[in-house]
Amino acid sequence: AGNTPPKRPARVFHHQPAARGGQRGGVAGIGGAGFGEHVEQFIDQHRGRQLGTVAHPAPGVGQVQHLARGKQHVEKQVALVVAALLALARKRHRAHGRFVQGDARRLPRLLPAQRFDAVVFLLSIQDMNPLDDVLRAAAAVLNDGGRLVILMTHPCFRVPRQSGWGHDADRDLRFRRIDRYLQPLKVPMKAYGPNRSGVSVSFHRPLSHYINSLAACGLLVDALDEITSHKPGTSKAEQRANAEIPLFVGLRARKVER
């Protein structure tokens, strides 16, 4: 889980403000930074309700800060945090929560007897494999009727190392080039760290894999949001492309009552 090979566990951030009214439930999340408010709007069916528990696997530093501050409608939060951020999260947000190590594929074992109103994968699902195992584990900790939200780079337009920008000079048109799409890909990303010894892997899958895997876990997709770049662009062609070709996609699925 997180930006690690599949066998290495992610980290867990556990935030629990004082209980309010004995309510239980919550939001579980897995992901990056800077999209907290967007995700809140995407699961706005919870607005005005008391949420019990919130889990956010693998958020970035900014997202940990956003989560640790807490929301009035959230009783408890749980977040999987990548290893590199664990010490920093503990240092900055010790007063707001507890940080432990865990694996997104084993959420029921990691969080025994806990159920959530929502699970959020925030710019992290494409770092996790196998997809079915991760989604099955997330579905297992959701309440009936609960929501699962995925925010990720758009797999139709952003295939790591197999897509890019092109320019048609005759038409003054900027376009997106897609070299591969339908076949799942395991893509090594740029090396990082001292002596560039660190290696991370991204898992590309077509959009249909996410829809079908969610359905197989009893999660019915009821919303899809395509998000363009916030960058204005330096030319008319770039401005048009940035406004028309999505950078991210958000999926929301509801756990069907059995």
Side-chain angles (χ1 to χ4, degrees):
N3 294 318
T4 60
K7 292 185 179 180
R8 293 180 58 188
R11 307 289 182 174
V12 175
F13 163 65
H14 184 190
H15 169 56
Q16 182 173 5
R20 298 187 179 96
Q23 299 278 349
R24 291 294 180 267
V27 180
I30 306 153
F35 289 90
E37 292 182 1
H38 186 89
V39 169
E40 286 180 18
Q41 294 173 5
F42 205 44
I43 54 173
D44 62 2
Q45 75 279 358
H46 289 305
R47 292 195 172 204
R49 288 179 49 192
Q50 172 67 46
L51 298 185
T53 30
V54 182
H56 300 268
V61 176
Q63 187 63 20
V64 168
Q65 184 175 3
H66 174 82
L67 299 172
R69 289 172 180 165
K71 298 293 181 184
Q72 291 184 353
H73 61 287
V74 173
E75 178 187 325
K76 188 192 302 179
Q77 300 186 62
V78 175
L80 300 185
V81 182
V82 293
L85 298 177
L86 183 62
L88 184 59
R90 283 176 171 169
K91 178 181 178 181
R92 293 186 178 181
H93 309 296
R94 185 180 298 274
H96 299 283
R98 179 172 59 93
F99 298 82
V100 297
Q101 184 174 7
D103 189 323
R105 298 168 299 170
R106 297 176 174 83
L107 286 178
R109 187 186 308 173
L110 180 65
L111 306 169
Q114 293 193 42
R115 292 297 179 266
F116 301 88
D117 293 326
V119 173
V120 180
F121 290 86
L122 189 54
L123 298 180
S124 62
I125 194 69
Q126 289 158 313
D127 298 324
M128 298 181 180
N129 196 56
L131 177 65
D132 290 345
D133 290 354
V134 174
L135 294 181
R136 192 178 301 114
V141 300
L142 268 178
N143 288 318
D144 286 345
R147 262 57 174 181
L148 183 146
V149 170
I150 295 173
L151 182 69
M152 59 183 169
T153 55
H154 206 308
C156 300
F157 301 103
R158 312 279 172 160
V159 185
R161 298 193 177 185
Q162 299 296 328
S163 63
W165 290 107
H167 185 75
D168 185 332
D170 293 335
R171 301 173 61 195
D172 190 24
L173 182 69
R174 184 172 168 86
F175 61 88
R176 193 73 182 166
R177 187 199 76 249
I178 309 298
D179 302 327
R180 297 182 64 177
Y181 171 68
L182 279 177
Q183 293 300 316
L185 299 172
K186 179 180 178 180
V187 185
M189 306 305 284
K190 292 182 179 180
Y192 62 89
N195 302 318
R196 304 187 69 78
S197 59
V199 178
S200 61
V201 176
S202 181
F203 298 92
H204 165 75
R205 312 166 184 102
L207 188 59
S208 59
H209 278 213
Y210 292 95
I211 305 296
N212 294 333
S213 291
L214 288 166
C217 296
L219 297 165
L220 175 66
V221 175
D222 63 3
L224 186 152
D225 190 12
E226 297 179 291
I227 307 162
T228 56
S229 172
H230 67 281
K231 297 180 180 179
T234 58
S235 65
K236 184 177 180 180
E238 186 177 0
Q239 291 170 2
R240 182 184 305 158
N242 287 353
E244 290 290 340
I245 302 178
L247 176 59
F248 302 102
V249 63
L251 298 174
R252 188 182 68 200
R254 175 175 51 86
K255 185 174 181 179
V256 178
E257 299 182 12
R258 296 181 182 274

